[in-house]
Amino acid sequence: MEERIKKDIELFEKNITKVKNKRIKDMATRYYEDAKYYFEQGDLKRAFQNYRKALELNSRSIEAYTGLGNIALKKAKPEIALQLYLKALKIEPENAQLHYNIGICYELLQDKERARKSFEQALQIWPDYKKAKEHLKWLNQSQ
């Protein structure tokens, strides 16, 4: 009887943890969605606050890191955007969009060689990535 009660308690605690984790994930998603909305509306302050809250709840949110990077780019801070995109890339290294965004940062930082490599990596993952092709072509022509 006592063993049965222990198993029931363990199962109950496991279920509570699952529900709690799902709620946290749902909250992070909500903050991310709100941040995306505010970004699209041009309210960078609110977008920033919501992306940060999403990251607090889910430290592996590629979307939140990318959103914060996009805000940094809008504010003409490519070095900060680069660091945020690189953090996201550590989580998902096969993300063509991240490689492209990193290439844009390197372009803005006048590092053509790293920009070229980033666009090439994006194209290895997604060979038909039109924007990456265009930037790579432009870099190759401007040598």
Side-chain angles (χ1 to χ4, degrees):
M1 178 85 162
E2 196 172 304
E3 190 62 35
R4 173 85 171 127
I5 292 172
K6 281 184 181 180
K7 285 183 180 182
D8 285 346
I9 290 172
E10 285 175 15
L11 182 62
F12 177 75
E13 288 173 346
K14 212 181 246 185
N15 286 335
I16 292 278
T17 301
K18 283 181 184 178
V19 168
K20 188 176 171 183
N21 289 341
K22 181 170 178 3
R23 284 188 179 163
I24 289 171
K25 186 177 178 184
D26 290 347
M27 285 174 57
T29 300
R30 177 57 195 234
Y31 281 122
Y32 164 72
E33 292 296 330
D34 287 351
K36 204 166 89 170
Y37 169 79
Y38 289 127
F39 183 83
E40 290 167 358
Q41 298 302 310
D43 189 343
L44 300 183
K45 183 178 179 181
R46 279 183 148 160
F48 176 84
Q49 291 168 341
N50 280 276
Y51 281 130
R52 288 293 304 240
K53 288 177 184 176
L55 266 181
E56 287 171 14
L57 293 170
N58 179 5
S59 63
R60 296 184 54 79
S61 174
I62 294 158
E63 296 85 358
Y65 280 119
T66 301
L68 288 169
N70 294 343
I71 290 171
L73 276 183
K74 277 249 191 226
K75 292 186 169 197
K77 296 181 180 181
E79 58 284 330
I80 294 172
L82 177 61
Q83 295 308 311
L84 291 160
Y85 295 144
L86 289 171
K87 283 183 180 185
L89 193 65
K90 284 182 182 178
I91 298 166
E92 191 176 311
E94 295 299 311
N95 186 313
Q97 179 71 48
L98 287 171
H99 285 286
Y100 171 79
N101 290 354
I102 290 166
I104 294 295
C105 290
Y106 283 131
E107 262 186 355
L108 294 170
L109 294 169
Q110 306 293 316
D111 190 338
K112 290 182 180 181
E113 190 54 38
R114 284 186 175 166
R116 184 178 289 107
K117 286 179 185 176
S118 294
F119 295 133
E120 288 171 351
Q121 288 174 311
L123 289 167
Q124 284 177 356
I125 297 164
W126 182 12
D128 294 329
Y129 198 164
K130 187 178 178 183
K131 288 182 181 179
K133 284 181 182 181
E134 290 169 358
H135 280 270
L136 189 58
K137 182 179 176 183
W138 178 82
L139 282 172
N140 289 332
Q141 290 174 349
S142 67
Q143 281 185 350

